[in-house]
Structures are given as C-alpha cells and as structure tokens.
Amino acid sequence: MKGRGLLGKWGPNHAADPVVTRLNPKTKRLEMVAIQRKDTNDWAIPGGMVDAGECVSATLKREFTEEALGNNSEVAKQLKDLFEHGGEEIYRGYVDDPRNTDNAWMETIVKHFHCDDQLGQNIPLQAADDAKDVRWLCLEDNEKEVSKLYASHAAFVREVVTRFRQKHIPVLWITTDQSIAHPH
C-alpha cells in the first residue's frame, strides 16, 4: 500500500485499546470482551482512534462504550469507576496492523481493566458502531481463538493473561526438603 492507505493521517495514527476482563461466574476462567470487526470479520479488542484533543482515558471508555455496549449511557455510568481507576498499561507503541504503510502506521496504548464479580456478571454486551458482534472470549487454554485475534491483539492479550496470573494465582515454592511452601 502506498501513501496513507486506509489510515486517516500521515505518520503515526494513535489508538487506544481497552482489554476488559472478568472471571466467568461459572467456570472462574479469565475472559475478555471481544468484538467482531465489521470490516474484516476478525475478533478483536474493542478500541479505536484517539480523536484530536482527546485524552487516552476518554478514548478507552468511549470506544468500549461504542463498540461493546451499544452506546448505552446507563451501562457506561456503571463502568465509570472501572475506567476512572486507570487500568494497567500493557503496551504502548507501534502496532503491526494490516493498514500500515511506509507513510502511515498505527501506534496504540493498551490498558487492562478487570471487573469485579458483580460488575463482570452484569455488563450487557451489545455490538454497535464498528462491531458486528460482541462476546466474552475465554482466554485460558484457548490459544486457538486467541491466536486469531486481529493484528497484534493476540500478543497484548497474552500479556494480560500472564500479568493477571502473576498477580492472582499464588506461587508455590518447592523447598530443599521437597515440601511445598507458600511465599510470604
């Protein structure tokens, strides 16, 4: 592709991608909200372009609300606390995106937001805007589907899973006498 291709600006085109996760209420496995893109039919992180003058935190919330909540402002209010606490930055930089050219490319900030049990059970997903469909996608023992995510999204999601496991799954240490000890 030449010029700026399908991207709106020459040079870097800035995006924001919120990875919103929960533990499935029945299986307790880690899941994320995934949207099916209208343009490619690929499953992806709901996200999009940072508008001129917009701060990234506003883009993260706006894109999630537009694509995964059907622009439902009442539900967006329920998610206010989730997005206002900043989330955990997973990645910042260049994205290997099929729309990139030598003259225009994607750069993104990916943030992880984890829902508590109550919020995770009560988010009514509804596809809208650039999303054809939306669902909770299991991230554990599901490499087949995770690897098919759009552009660099699989790498971002794998990093979310790794960090989540490091924080929430207790580490057991094998001691020299072969007994198991919990670290303090």
Side-chain angles (χ1 to χ4, degrees), residues 140-167:
E140 297 186 72
D141 301 321
N142 195 14
E143 182 58 26
K144 182 179 177 183
E145 286 194 65
V146 170
S147 67
K148 293 179 185 177
L149 291 172
Y150 182 77
S152 299
H153 292 191
F156 304 147
V157 169
R158 287 184 194 109
E159 182 63 20
V160 166
V161 172
T162 297
R163 291 185 188 192
F164 185 84
R165 285 180 177 161
Q166 288 171 346
K167 287 181 182 173

Side-chain angles (χ1 to χ4, degrees), residues 99-182:
R99 299 169 290 183
N100 290 348
T101 72
D102 290 342
N103 302 300
W105 57 91
M106 294 293 299
E107 292 183 4
T108 194
I109 295 175
V110 179
K111 286 200 169 185
H112 175 218
F113 300 90
H114 185 72
C115 300
D116 63 30
D117 290 343
Q118 182 177 355
L119 182 60
Q121 288 181 44
N122 294 313
I123 296 176
L125 301 179
Q126 181 182 343
D129 197 42
D130 299 330
K132 177 178 172 180
D133 198 4
V134 62
R135 66 180 172 136
W136 288 103
L137 173 67
C138 182
L139 300 179
E140 297 186 72
D141 301 321
N142 195 14
E143 182 58 26
K144 182 179 177 183
E145 286 194 65
V146 170
S147 67
K148 293 179 185 177
L149 291 172
Y150 182 77
S152 299
H153 292 191
F156 304 147
V157 169
R158 287 184 194 109
E159 182 63 20
V160 166
V161 172
T162 297
R163 291 185 188 192
F164 185 84
R165 285 180 177 161
Q166 288 171 346
K167 287 181 182 173
H168 298 284
I169 297 176
V171 176
L172 300 177
W173 299 95
I174 305 294
T175 62
T176 53
D177 65 358
Q178 298 302 308
S179 62
I180 297 177
H182 294 274

Side-chain angles (χ1 to χ4, degrees), residues 3-45:
R4 28 180 203 93
L6 300 173
L7 295 175
K9 299 187 310 189
W10 297 95
N13 286 256
H14 297 283
D17 296 302
V19 180
V20 176
T21 62
R22 73 171 185 182
L23 292 177
N24 179 291
K26 293 179 183 165
T27 67
K28 299 300 179 197
R29 296 179 134 220
L30 187 64
E31 299 177 323
M32 69 168 262
V33 174
I35 57 118
Q36 187 176 26
R37 297 173 58 101
K38 285 182 181 176
D39 59 351
T40 64
N41 285 326
D42 291 320
W43 286 93
I45 298 167

